[in-house]
């Protein structure tokens, strides 16, 4: 639905609050359908989220690699809690390339990489810890963390264009355990392009 004014991504994400509340309480999510799917209390902890914008292009294996990262985080240092998982790498385009192209496929991105018009930016786990924050869109996040964030942030924060930085700080400082930094088998095996 078109809005007269552009809303921040987090103002739009706030519309998920009722669905997340139903997940947290274990209420039917598919009311009115022939077969009701009964959600049990605690199911909110089994849903993970990835973030993107309409103009982003992702490597076709992104979801599989994040799924592997999430699976590898269970039973690790988290102590049973669901901490976010981060893959700190993305492709950056040279500034003049950004101004002239509207990229729509991973094949176009691969051509730019081979021509040197796009380059991989990545950080080691140590570098991630030393940075003030790691962008939230490089994380897979348990839905409970997004729910907690949306509930505790005032609407003025959610509507602010820099709310993503606030969410990045929230992930770092209010998660049940530090984000697990996942390094895919090959540096070239995953990327995202803004």
């Amino acid at each position: 639905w078109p809005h007269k004014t552009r809303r921040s991504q987090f103002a739009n994400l706030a519309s998920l609050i009722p669905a997340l509340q139903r997940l947290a309480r274990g209420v039917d999510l598919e009311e009115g359908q022939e077969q009701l799917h009964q959600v049990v209390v605690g199911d909110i902890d089994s849903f993970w989220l990835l973030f993107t914008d309409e103009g982003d292009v992702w490597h076709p294996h992104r979801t599989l690699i994040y799924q592997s990262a999430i699976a590898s985080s269970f039973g690790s240092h988290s102590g049973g809690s669901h901490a976010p998982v981060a893959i700190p790498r993305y492709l950056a385009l040279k500034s003049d390339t950004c101004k002239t192209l509207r990229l729509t496929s991973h094949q176009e991105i691969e051509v730019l990489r081979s021509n040197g018009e796009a380059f991989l930016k990545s950080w080691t786990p140590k570098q991630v810890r030393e940075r003030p924050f790691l962008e939230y869109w490089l994380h897979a996040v348990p839905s409970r963390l997004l729910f907690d964030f949306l509930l505790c942030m005032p609407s003025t924060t959610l509507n602010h264009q820099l709310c993503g930085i606030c969410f990045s700080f929230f992930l770092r400082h209010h998660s049940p355990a530090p984000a697990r930094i996942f390094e895919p088998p090959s540096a070239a095996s995953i990327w995202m392009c803004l």
Side-chain angles (χ1 to χ4, degrees):
W1 54 85
H3 294 282
K4 292 182 181 174
T5 59
R6 183 168 168 84
R7 293 172 32 171
S8 77
Q9 185 174 23
F10 285 89
N12 288 322
L13 287 172
S15 67
L16 292 174
I17 290 175
L20 292 169
Q21 285 173 322
R22 288 192 298 273
L23 273 176
R25 287 183 296 196
V27 177
D28 294 329
L29 289 180
E30 300 175 16
E31 294 177 18
Q33 299 198 9
E34 287 182 27
Q35 293 182 337
L36 294 178
H37 171 68
Q38 185 66 36
V39 179
V40 296
V41 174
D43 265 7
I44 191 170
D45 295 318
S46 62
F47 288 90
W48 287 70
L49 305 169
L50 298 174
F51 300 92
T52 191
D53 281 328
E54 69 277 358
D56 296 346
V57 179
W58 291 90
H59 189 279
H61 296 132
R62 170 191 188 232
T63 304
L64 292 173
I65 292 172
Y66 270 98
Q67 182 181 17
S68 177
I70 291 165
S72 73
S73 73
F74 289 101
S76 66
H77 70 286
S78 65
S81 298
H82 299 315
V85 174
I87 301 177
R89 62 176 51 132
Y90 68 94
L91 280 180
L93 300 178
K94 292 186 175 178
S95 60
D96 34 328
T97 304
C98 290
K99 294 176 187 172
T100 58
L101 292 178
R102 173 87 174 131
L103 300 168
T104 59
S105 73
H106 74 278
Q107 293 94 340
E108 292 172 320
I109 303 294
E110 292 297 347
V111 169
L112 290 175
R113 284 185 70 200
S114 64
N115 293 339
E117 294 294 316
F119 56 94
L120 186 68
K121 292 190 75 156
S122 64
W123 298 272
T124 66
K126 181 180 184 293
Q127 290 169 322
V128 168
R129 286 189 300 276
E130 292 170 351
R131 294 186 75 203
F133 65 92
L134 183 65
E135 291 78 358
Y136 71 93
W137 38 263
L138 294 173
H139 290 81
V141 177
S143 56
R144 180 174 298 280
L145 282 177
L146 176 65
F147 183 47
D148 291 347
F149 178 78
L150 294 173
L151 287 179
C152 73
M153 287 297 126
S155 61
T156 52
T157 302
L158 294 175
N159 283 306
H160 197 279
Q161 64 182 353
L162 297 178
C163 186
I165 294 173
C166 189
F167 186 52
S168 296
F169 276 102
F170 186 87
L171 292 176
R172 177 170 281 185
H173 299 290
H174 298 286
S175 294
R180 183 174 184 283
I181 306 304
F182 184 78
E183 298 183 67
S186 166
S189 66
I190 185 172
W191 46 256
M192 63 88 52
C193 188
L194 302 172

